[in-house]
Amino acid sequence: MTCIIGLVEKGHVYMGGDSIAVSDWDMERLRPQKVFQVGDYLIGCAGSARMTQLLQFELEMPPQDNKLSDYAYMVTVFTEKVRTLFRDKGYSEVKDQRESGGPFLVGYRGQLYSVQGDFSVLQLRDTFTALGCGSSYAMGAMSALRDAPPKKRIRKALKAAAHFSIGVVGPFYVLSLSRKKEGA
């Protein structure tokens, strides 16, 4: 249960998330953030706290080969490193010979990607997306608030999601990451 929102505007990726963990009818307010930066990546996780911990503290990525587009790098190198990490740390689930992880958003080089539970990578046409039980409320609010500044827009959308979804609770955190210049 959660709400993670990602937004791309003018070469920046913005991401915000809530602070709750829910199991059945019980909830715990979390201190660690579900949105964090790891090197050149801004990551926001919906789902397992273990997945979030592995991505935040164990993920190590090689530099991108300039022969690959950013999208190709995300689909091949990035997801394969994540799959290997999840498998090595006992997080991946294998059922009917299919491996699965969990959903999360990634901001990388001024673009927003949605990594699905089957490790597919979606590059979106819209400038924003959301994950978690509050995602439909957040998406509606993000659409309605198109003229608001990015961080304020995300905070208001998270508040809207919290108003309508019992699985979304503050405090809310919003981080941003600028597109890294080539060769910098």
Side-chain angles (χ1 to χ4, degrees):
M1 304 296 211
T2 197
C3 189
I4 303 295
I5 301 171
L7 168 69
V8 175
E9 187 172 296
K10 297 178 183 174
H12 292 75
V13 177
Y14 299 86
M15 205 172 291
D18 72 331
S19 300
I20 195 76
V22 177
S23 177
D24 296 322
W25 290 100
D26 301 319
M27 69 176 201
E28 292 286 340
R29 294 179 190 269
L30 301 176
R31 186 175 301 223
Q33 296 181 25
K34 298 176 189 179
V35 175
F36 49 89
Q37 185 174 344
V38 175
D40 295 336
Y41 307 90
L42 188 58
I43 300 174
C45 299
S48 167
R50 181 64 177 148
M51 176 186 71
T52 303
Q53 294 161 353
L54 290 173
L55 290 171
Q56 187 170 11
F57 300 113
E58 297 277 345
L59 184 63
E60 294 180 12
M61 297 301 300
Q64 180 177 336
D65 182 338
N66 290 332
K67 295 176 187 171
L68 289 176
S69 69
D70 292 346
Y71 180 62
Y73 175 78
M74 292 299 295
V75 169
T76 58
V77 178
F78 182 86
T79 54
E80 287 307 309
K81 287 289 187 185
V82 170
R83 285 179 69 200
T84 300
L85 171 64
F86 286 0
R87 189 180 318 116
D88 290 351
K89 298 297 181 174
Y91 177 70
S92 289
E93 183 177 314
V94 179
K95 185 176 181 181
D96 297 327
Q97 298 181 2
R98 290 191 181 207
E99 191 175 12
S100 62
F104 59 97
L105 299 180
V106 180
Y108 177 66
R109 291 190 173 182
Q111 296 295 313
L112 181 62
Y113 301 93
S114 180
V115 179
Q116 305 297 293
D118 66 354
F119 299 102
S120 59
V121 178
L122 305 180
Q123 188 176 25
L124 309 164
R125 285 192 185 273
D126 274 330
T127 59
F128 62 89
T129 193
L131 295 176
C133 66
S135 64
S136 58
Y137 306 111
M139 293 290 284
M142 290 292 288
S143 182
L145 295 166
R146 285 192 187 269
D147 295 331
K151 288 185 176 183
K152 188 173 191 174
R153 185 176 172 192
I154 290 173
R155 285 188 194 285
K156 285 186 172 197
L158 287 166
K159 286 179 182 178
H163 182 80
F164 292 103
S165 175
I166 62 171
V168 181
V169 176
F172 304 117
Y173 298 96
V174 181
L175 303 177
S176 65
L177 182 67
S178 298
R179 177 178 173 83
K180 195 171 189 178
K181 293 190 167 99
E182 303 298 322

